Amino acid sequence: MTGPVHADLVLMLLADARLPVAGHTQSGGLEPGIRDGLGPQDVPAYVDVRLRTVTEVEAATAVLAGRLLRTGAPDAAWLDLEQAWEARTPSPALRDASRRQARALLRIARRTWPAAPAWEALAALEHPSRALALGALAGHLGLEGRAVAHLVGYDDVQTVCAAALKLLPLDPGSVVGWVVAALPAVEAMATRVSSVAEVDDLPATTHPLIEVWAQAHAATTRRLFHA
Amino acid sequence: MPDPSTTHGPTPSPTAPARALRLGVCGPVGTGKSSLIALLCRELSERLELGVVTNDIYTDEDARFLRSAGVLDADRIRAVETGACPHTAIRDDITANAMAIEELEEDYEHRLEMVLVESGGDNLTATFSPALVDVQVFVLDVAGGGDVARKGGPGIERADLLVVNKTDLGPFVGVDVPRMVADATAARGDRPVIGLSRTDRDSIDRLLAWVDNRLAEHRAGSLVPVDPGPMAAHSHAHEHTHTHDQGGEPVGVHHH
């Protein structure tokens, strides 16, 4: 980018499903949830519970990664953050899915912004999580903490809702209504995490059922979505 | 540091690091893509280091078929989820497939010579991005109806190779196989068509010769991926005199 660009444009770019980062392979855990009995009527509550648990952890971690990048934190700080995320993401399947998403994101991001200092920062980690990769990239592109949290929250809502359209008998118009209805919860989550300044501030909220579903899904056959 | 060779798609440059030839197999559901890949594995795995990436709509169905066929070590066959978007996964977001190919190559320490990529099966407009595969085969089958080849479309007209599969079934499904192959040939200009049957050794040998030639081109650095594109052939009578989509003339990529 050689001219001034408003952060809104960067946010739109990163939130756009057309960004080729294999977003279409993800259901945000909805596919195994449906296998275990979730129905169309449960999707809004599922979105909401994610925003208050796993997605809040993801967003807070990404916000802090962006902050580490802006402050030029040493390798040890990146390792601490990744470990803190691991400790808050006990399901190996969820960690693996996150790292695959990070790999997809970094594949295109390294090509698009080859000189970004974010890549040197992430070099301390062999397989960074999506939260760290996305946070570092967003930080490099000038997104503030709240915008990073918006990005993670909004993407999670859309990932689940788009997968719901594939998996359940739904009217796309109704699903847009669910996304809009979830936006205040995205905003509230962003408010909770946007000022996270150090690892000890990270929330440690998780949801055992989401973890159980993720573990079951990784072992199943005939999946439509990776996770 | 970023390494362009790991982030870019296939590149025909002879100075690029050696990597496996990436051969895509696409075409409608049920035409025999998995069987074609099993056939290639059976015929080539003795002399080539192979890997396979499958995109079945139910992720691992095709991978399990290939593994159970016993034609290739199960670890060399990787299944990729497409989120019910098989077309996206080979065209506008190739990330998941490209990562699977790269991981196979890394896991086998860059010894693989050819990676076969099987599309999840889609409609006649679905073709691979040239950033994902170096060369692509479009598969139709006799049992799908003798008129399909005449319908045209990018894969039928412009894939590097069109296979008309299951020619042995012609008499049982009332299809005139020579006619169907002739229709396909007419739709493709100079591009090759192979009427294939696993009971017809000569047809298998012609398929293998075609693959070997592409591999030789790839190794020589002279293979340039050609995009069949999604577009239908078009006419523009207001321009100069060619009338490439009329009267059974060859339709295909044309240069202006």
Side-chain angles (χ1 to χ4, degrees):
Chain A
M1 296 187 285
T2 53
V5 172
H6 194 280
D8 285 357
L9 286 171
V10 173
L11 187 57
M12 284 190 261
L13 174 73
L14 295 181
D16 194 328
R18 290 166 292 193
L19 192 69
V21 293
H24 63 101
T25 67
Q26 303 297 317
S27 79
L30 185 67
E31 187 180 12
I34 288 171
R35 263 187 209 234
D36 199 33
L38 287 190
Q41 71 284 355
D42 301 317
V43 176
Y46 180 64
V47 165
D48 189 62
V49 90
R50 287 180 62 84
L51 286 170
R52 288 185 285 114
T53 56
V54 288
T55 307
E56 178 167 336
V57 169
E58 169 115 355
T61 308
V63 167
L64 191 45
R67 182 154 296 162
L68 292 186
L69 189 82
R70 283 196 299 278
T71 57
D75 284 359
W78 290 91
L79 287 166
D80 279 353
L81 181 57
E82 182 78 357
Q83 280 179 1
W85 171 82
E86 282 179 339
R88 288 159 175 77
T89 312
S91 155
L94 286 181
R95 293 201 300 268
D96 176 65
S98 171
R99 287 174 167 141
R100 289 194 72 79
Q101 288 178 270
R103 186 169 172 167
L105 175 67
L106 292 173
R107 204 171 172 278
I108 200 73
R110 285 195 166 107
R111 175 170 170 179
T112 308
W113 298 281
W119 317 144
E120 282 172 41
L122 290 175
L125 307 160
E126 192 177 1
H127 298 294
S129 63
R130 176 174 180 264
L132 267 76
L134 188 59
L137 174 62
H140 169 66
L141 296 176
L143 295 188
E144 298 294 331
R146 181 172 287 272
V148 174
H150 283 159
L151 174 61
V152 172
Y154 176 79
D155 180 70
D156 196 74
V157 172
Q158 285 285 26
T159 294
V160 172
C161 287
L165 281 172
K166 290 273 170 50
L167 297 166
L168 294 164
L170 291 166
D171 176 344
S174 311
V175 174
V176 173
W178 293 349
V179 173
V180 171
L183 294 180
V186 173
E187 193 64 66
M189 183 275 286
T191 299
R192 293 194 296 275
V193 304
S194 59
S195 59
V196 165
E198 49 189 296
V199 165
D200 289 344
D201 297 338
L202 290 176
T205 47
T206 183
H207 195 294
L209 197 49
I210 291 173
E211 292 161 16
V212 168
W213 285 340
Q215 291 305 117
H217 191 62
T220 193
T221 59
R222 297 172 67 85
R223 288 189 296 268
L224 286 164
F225 291 89
H226 178 253
Chain B
M1 282 299 291
D3 175 5
S5 69
T6 61
T7 53
H8 286 248
T11 161
S13 164
T15 58
R19 62 155 176 78
L21 172 70
R22 297 170 184 183
L23 187 152
V25 178
C26 60
V29 173
T31 53
K33 294 182 295 297
S34 297
S35 297
L36 180 77
I37 285 176
L39 173 73
L40 289 173
C41 291
R42 198 177 295 120
E43 296 286 338
L44 296 172
S45 62
E46 291 281 303
R47 61 181 170 95
L48 289 177
E49 293 276 355
L50 297 177
V52 176
V53 173
T54 67
N55 282 191
D56 199 296
I57 193 77
Y58 290 110
T59 303
D60 59 343
E61 205 79 336
D62 287 336
R64 285 194 289 163
F65 165 81
L66 287 169
R67 287 172 188 144
S68 67
V71 291
L72 202 62
D73 180 28
D75 182 61
R76 291 174 180 247
I77 302 166
R78 306 282 172 89
V80 167
E81 297 87 354
T82 64
C85 300
H87 198 156
T88 294
I90 65 168
R91 189 76 203 179
D92 43 293
D93 187 353
I94 61 173
T95 309
N97 275 316
M99 281 169 49
I101 295 170
E102 289 161 8
E103 284 168 12
L104 259 173
E105 292 181 329
E106 284 162 22
D107 290 352
Y108 287 88
E109 295 167 339
H110 302 280
R111 285 183 283 108
L112 297 187
E113 293 167 282
M114 182 159 67
V115 177
L116 303 162
V117 185
E118 179 180 357
S119 137
D122 208 323
N123 59 50
L124 293 176
T125 66
T127 57
F128 286 93
S129 162
L132 181 62
V133 299
D134 302 301
V135 68
Q136 53 190 298
V137 179
F138 200 84
V139 185
L140 293 179
D141 78 318
V142 164
D147 61 335
V148 177
R150 266 201 309 278
K151 292 188 185 203
I156 290 172
E157 293 163 14
R158 301 188 292 271
D160 299 284
L161 174 66
L162 177 67
V163 165
V164 177
N165 204 9
K166 312 180 196 173
T167 54
D168 51 307
L169 296 184
F172 306 105
V173 294
V175 169
D176 178 348
V177 173
R179 177 74 244 162
M180 187 174 177
V181 171
D183 285 346
T185 304
R188 287 174 56 79
D190 297 334
R191 296 179 194 79
V193 179
I194 294 177
L196 184 72
S197 164
R198 58 184 171 184
T199 63
D200 175 1
R201 185 66 224 180
D202 177 60
S203 72
I204 294 170
D205 288 340
R206 279 184 283 131
L207 174 66
L208 297 177
W210 181 85
V211 171
D212 278 330
N213 285 337
R214 300 294 80 71
L215 191 58
E217 286 177 358
H218 172 71
R219 286 170 171 158
S222 60
L223 181 61
V224 179
V226 175
D227 180 13
M231 308 277 282
H234 57 281
S235 62
H236 29 86
H238 57 283
E239 288 185 24
H240 44 98
T241 54
H242 68 242
T243 53
H244 49 232
D245 59 355
Q246 295 172 16
E249 288 292 309
V251 289
V253 172
H254 40 269
H255 307 281
H256 301 288

